[in-house]
Amino acid sequence: MAVMFKSGPAAPKDPTKKRPFFYIMRNKAVSGSPQPDGRGITFIYESDGRLQSSAGVVGNITDEEMLNNLGKVDTFRKMVHSIGVSVKKNGEPVTVGFAFQMYGHTDPYVSGTTLYTEISSDGMEYVLNLEDYEWSEDDNCPGQIRFEFPEPGIPANVTVAFYLNDGYDAPEQQEDKEIDITGPAYKAIIEKSLIQLGNTYRVKKAIEKARSGEETTVAFIGGSITQGAGAVPINKECYAYKTFEGFCKLCGKGTDENIKYVKAGVGGTPSQLGLVRYDRDVLGGGKITPDIVVVEFAVNDEGDETKGECYDSLIRKIYNGPGKPAVILEYAVFANDWNLEERLCCVGESYKLPMVSARRSVVDQFYVSESEGAVLTKSQFFYDCFHPTNVGHSIMADGILNMMKKADEMPLGTDIDITDIEAPKGKEFENIMFYGRDDIANCPLVTKLDAGSFTETDTMLQAVERNLDLAGTPEFKDNWMYAGKGDAPVFKATIKCSALMVVYMDSASIEVGTADVYADGEKKISIDPHVVGWTHCNALIAFRGAESKEHEVEIRIPEADQGKRFTVLGFGIVE
C-alpha cells in the first residue's frame, strides 16, 4: 500500500541549531483554578527567589551568576534567548494561553511586560523568542507564569525551558527515575519522618471513636502547604486530604461516612494569624468539634513576631479547646532544606505531642546516590521552592499515617493535662479571641466603636480553597475599609484587653496606603501593607503585657496616604 504524506513547503528551512537550555518546569502537573469569566488559570509565582530555586532544583543550575541573572529583567534578557513551552493533556487538544509576566517597579502587577502566546495542549513545544516582544522600561523582575485554560479543572502537564544566549551554557538535563513507593527505601524515609510518637491517648481515642461509627472530625490548620499549594488538583492531592483518606481506611470507613474533614490552610500566614483564625476556620464559630488537629506552620513561622510564643499559644489553645482534640505537629520543608523545627520542637516535647517531619524524611536522601538509598530527587518532591508536588504531599501524608498506625498499636494509656506545664515559648495569646465587623457588636470587650470613614467593605481579599472546594473562599470578608475618601480617616474603639492584634489586608497596589495604630494616645505600631507585597491577610501585635483594662484604640491614616485605601479585617483580643 502506498503511503500518503501531507504536502509540506517546497524548500523547508534548515533546522535551527538547538541552544543550550535548562528546565524550570518539567512535566509539572497543573489544573486551572476557577475564574469569574469561566476560565481555569494556573498561577505559578516566580518572584522572591522562586525562579532561581526552580532553575537549581529542576534545571540543575549551580552557577551563582546564572542564578542571579534570573532575579532581574535586564540580566534575565541578557542571558535568556527564548522560552520553550509545551502543554500536554489527554484527549482532544485545547488552546491554552501562556503568559510570563514581569513585575514593574511602579506597579508590580500592571507596569511590567507580559510575554504571551497561545499554544495547543498537544505536547508540542512552542518557542517564544524574547526579541519578538516590546519590553517596558519599568520592568523589575520576572513575576509570574500563567497557564490559561478555556475552563477550570483541566488536568495537564507542562514543561518550560530557557534557551540561552551565546556565551552561556547549562548542564545536561537528567531525567528523573520512577519512584518505588513499595520498596524498603521508601518505607525507610517514611520511618525517618517520625520525630516523636508522644502520648498517643487522644489519637487512639479518635481512632476508636471513628471505628465505632460516631461522628469524628479530622482537621488541618497551617499555611499554603496545608491549603494544598503544589497539589493537582489542590483539593484531593494535598497532604491533608490524603491523610484524611488514610485515616478513614485505618478506621475501616469510607470518606462519605461518619468521618468529617476540615482543611483550614491559608497561604503565607504564620501561627500568629492561625491563632485568630482557629475559632472561625476550624471550629466554624462553635459548629465543629475536632477530634484530631494537624498543625503545620514550620515553614511559615519566620513571620511570627514572637518567635515561637504564638505557636506555643496556638497549640495550647487547640489542645485545651473544644473537644480536647489530639494535636499532631507536622514540620514541612522548603527546597533549600530549611524549616523551623529547632525553634518549635520544644513545644511538642514539653506537651508530649506526636511530631512528624518532612525535612527529616527526605532531605538527607537528596544528597546520596540511588545505591546509597536515594528514593527521589528534589524536583520530584518540590513543585516550586516552597511547595510539594503530588508526590511530596503523599510523602507528608504517609509520614502522618505511619505515626497514626503506630499510635493505634499502642496501649490506650492516660491523657495528659498540659494546663500547668510550663509553656517553653510562652502562652500569653492562648485565650485570644477574634472579632470582625460581623460580630464586633456582640463582643463584651468592645464597649465603644466609631469606624469613622472606614465604612466600606473590601472585596479584594485573599481567597483559599477550603475543605474539598476548588473555588476560593474569601478570608475575613466582613471588614472595615477606608476607601481613600471621607473627613474622618480615624477608626476608634474602646477595647478591654491586655494584648491586642490588628488584622489587616496586605497588598502590592500603589493605591493602598499605610496606617498607624495608637493606644491611649500613644503610637504603638505603623502598618505598611506593602511589606509582604501581595493580596494577603496579616496580623501585627499592637501591644501586649498591658494592664487588663479599657484601652482607647485608634487606627489613623497618615496625611500622605489619606487618598489611598486601607482595610482592617478585625482584632485579636486577649482579655
Side-chain angles (χ1 to χ4, degrees):
M1 180 184 297
V3 179
M4 301 298 293
F5 294 95
K6 292 181 180 179
S7 60
K13 295 180 180 180
D14 290 336
T16 302
K17 182 180 178 181
K18 198 166 189 178
R19 293 174 171 273
F21 74 97
F22 61 88
Y23 294 111
I24 60 164
M25 305 176 201
R26 183 169 52 183
N27 293 321
K28 189 184 192 86
V30 300
S31 180
S33 299
Q35 303 300 308
D37 61 4
R39 294 181 301 162
I41 300 181
T42 297
F43 297 88
I44 301 174
Y45 297 98
E46 301 293 3
S47 58
D48 301 320
R50 294 176 178 89
L51 184 57
Q52 294 94 318
S53 178
S54 295
V57 171
V58 183
N60 199 27
I61 299 298
T62 58
D63 185 284
E64 288 296 327
E65 180 186 354
M66 292 180 66
L67 293 172
N68 289 336
N69 284 345
L70 297 173
K72 293 292 182 181
V73 170
D74 54 352
T75 50
F76 174 86
R77 292 179 60 190
K78 179 181 176 183
M79 182 174 72
V80 177
H81 174 274
S82 48
I83 302 172
V85 185
S86 65
V87 179
K88 180 70 174 71
K89 67 170 282 289
N90 293 332
E92 189 71 21
V94 297
T95 298
V96 180
F98 170 80
F100 192 168
Q101 181 178 353
M102 309 297 156
Y103 287 165
H105 286 281
T106 304
D107 191 335
Y109 301 139
V110 176
S111 60
T113 302
T114 296
L115 313 179
Y116 183 83
T117 191
E118 292 186 341
I119 63 179
S120 172
S121 66
D122 58 6
M124 178 71 180
E125 183 183 56
Y126 294 75
V127 178
L128 290 70
N129 192 324
L130 269 57
E131 292 183 353
D132 293 341
Y133 291 86
E134 183 176 345
W135 292 78
S136 168
E137 293 183 359
D138 198 53
D139 284 329
N140 180 18
C141 65
Q144 63 175 264
I145 287 174
R146 299 189 298 274
F147 290 92
E148 303 174 353
F149 294 88
E151 62 186 60
I154 297 176
N157 290 83
V158 300
T159 296
V160 177
F162 287 165
Y163 292 96
L164 302 177
N165 280 315
D166 295 342
Y168 293 93
D169 203 357
E172 183 178 354
Q173 302 296 287
Q174 301 293 326
E175 295 297 323
D176 290 329
K177 65 185 186 303
E178 187 174 352
I179 300 168
D180 179 10
I181 63 171
T182 64
Y186 182 84
K187 293 177 181 177
I189 68 169
I190 298 303
E191 285 291 337
K192 286 181 66 177
S193 71
L194 184 62
I195 301 176
Q196 172 179 289
L197 191 57
N199 183 287
T200 58
Y201 175 84
R202 292 192 179 188
V203 176
K204 276 189 67 70
K205 289 293 287 186
I207 293 171
E208 291 174 0
K209 184 179 178 182
R211 281 182 179 148
S212 72
E214 293 184 68
E215 183 171 307
T216 306
T217 300
V218 184
F220 302 79
I221 186 169
S224 56
I225 295 175
T226 297
Q227 184 180 337
V232 181
I234 195 171
N235 60 342
K236 288 195 173 182
E237 287 294 328
C238 60
Y239 90 87
Y241 188 74
K242 289 178 176 181
T243 300
F244 168 72
E245 280 188 310
F247 180 81
C248 292
K249 291 177 183 177
L250 178 63
C251 299
K253 302 291 180 180
T255 55
D256 58 349
E257 296 182 38
N258 60 299
I259 306 176
K260 307 304 178 184
Y261 172 65
V262 175
K263 182 184 72 169
V266 175
T269 65
S271 55
Q272 184 168 335
L273 192 74
L275 270 166
V276 297
R277 291 199 298 110
Y278 182 73
D279 292 332
R280 288 189 172 203
D281 290 359
V282 175
L283 300 183
K287 298 177 182 177
I288 299 169
T289 304
D291 297 278
I292 293 177
V293 179
V294 178
V295 181
E296 176 270 315
F297 281 113
V299 291
N300 285 68
D301 260 15
E302 190 64 27
D304 169 20
E305 293 179 89
T306 67
K307 304 304 178 187
E309 185 167 1
C310 282
Y311 183 82
D312 198 338
S313 297
L314 174 63
I315 301 309
R316 294 178 67 95
K317 180 181 179 71
I318 298 170
Y319 191 91
N320 291 328
K324 295 192 179 299
V327 180
I328 298 168
L329 308 185
E330 166 67 35
Y331 300 112
V333 65
F334 281 165
N336 64 355
D337 307 336
W338 176 89
N339 69 13
L340 285 168
E341 277 180 47
E342 286 74 17
R343 176 198 289 179
L344 303 177
C345 269
C346 62
V347 176
E349 290 167 355
S350 294
Y351 307 141
K352 295 182 171 54
L353 302 177
M355 295 191 286
V356 180
S357 168
R359 189 181 81 180
R360 299 192 188 194
S361 180
V362 297
V363 166
D364 287 347
Q365 62 88 56
F366 287 149
Y367 301 101
V368 298
S369 66
E370 186 175 355
S371 63
E372 294 171 313
V375 176
L376 74 164
T377 64
K378 274 195 174 184
S379 64
Q380 288 174 305
F381 185 89
F382 288 103
Y383 187 87
D384 56 25
C385 62
F386 300 134
H387 308 111
T389 59
N390 288 359
V391 169
H393 277 279
S394 291
I395 289 172
M396 290 180 65
D398 286 346
I400 298 171
L401 291 168
N402 176 60
M403 180 279 301
M404 289 181 169
K405 291 171 185 176
K406 290 182 184 297
D408 189 31
E409 296 167 356
M410 297 291 289
L412 183 60
T414 58
D415 197 11
I416 294 178
D417 183 353
I418 70 167
T419 305
D420 296 326
I421 296 176
E422 182 179 356
K425 291 293 185 179
K427 60 178 182 179
E428 181 175 359
F429 300 95
E430 177 180 351
N431 296 313
I432 196 168
M433 297 295 293
F434 174 78
Y435 293 94
R437 187 172 183 173
D438 54 336
D439 54 15
I440 201 80
N442 299 318
C443 174
L445 302 177
V446 180
T447 55
K448 295 180 183 178
L449 188 141
D450 178 4
S453 293
F454 288 72
T455 57
E456 304 294 322
T457 300
D458 197 343
T459 58
M460 299 175 62
L461 303 170
Q462 183 175 8
V464 300
E465 298 86 354
R466 293 281 187 81
N467 305 329
L468 286 172
D469 293 340
L470 283 171
T473 298
E475 286 287 305
F476 305 107
K477 62 187 179 70
D478 296 300
N479 55 70
W480 297 273
M481 182 176 73
Y482 168 67
K485 54 189 177 181
D487 297 328
V490 180
F491 184 107
K492 299 178 181 180
T494 303
I495 304 174
K496 183 183 178 184
C497 60
S498 62
L500 182 72
M501 288 190 195
V502 178
V503 187
Y504 63 96
M505 179 55 61
D506 281 321
S507 177
S509 173
I510 59 175
E511 297 177 357
V512 172
T514 64
D516 297 324
V517 180
Y518 289 76
D520 303 320
E522 179 184 352
K523 182 177 176 180
K524 295 296 185 180
I525 57 171
S526 292
I527 299 175
D528 182 358
H530 302 103
V531 171
V532 173
W534 55 290
T535 303
H536 166 272
C537 43
N538 211 341
L540 284 178
I541 299 170
F543 59 87
R544 58 181 297 191
E547 180 184 352
S548 182
K549 66 174 187 177
E550 288 190 340
H551 294 275
E552 301 301 323
V553 177
E554 294 185 354
I555 300 175
R556 305 177 188 175
I557 304 300
E559 184 176 354
D561 285 342
Q562 287 183 12
K564 299 181 178 181
R565 301 192 310 271
F566 186 88
T567 301
V568 178
L569 300 174
F571 299 92
I573 303 174
V574 180
E575 185 177 3

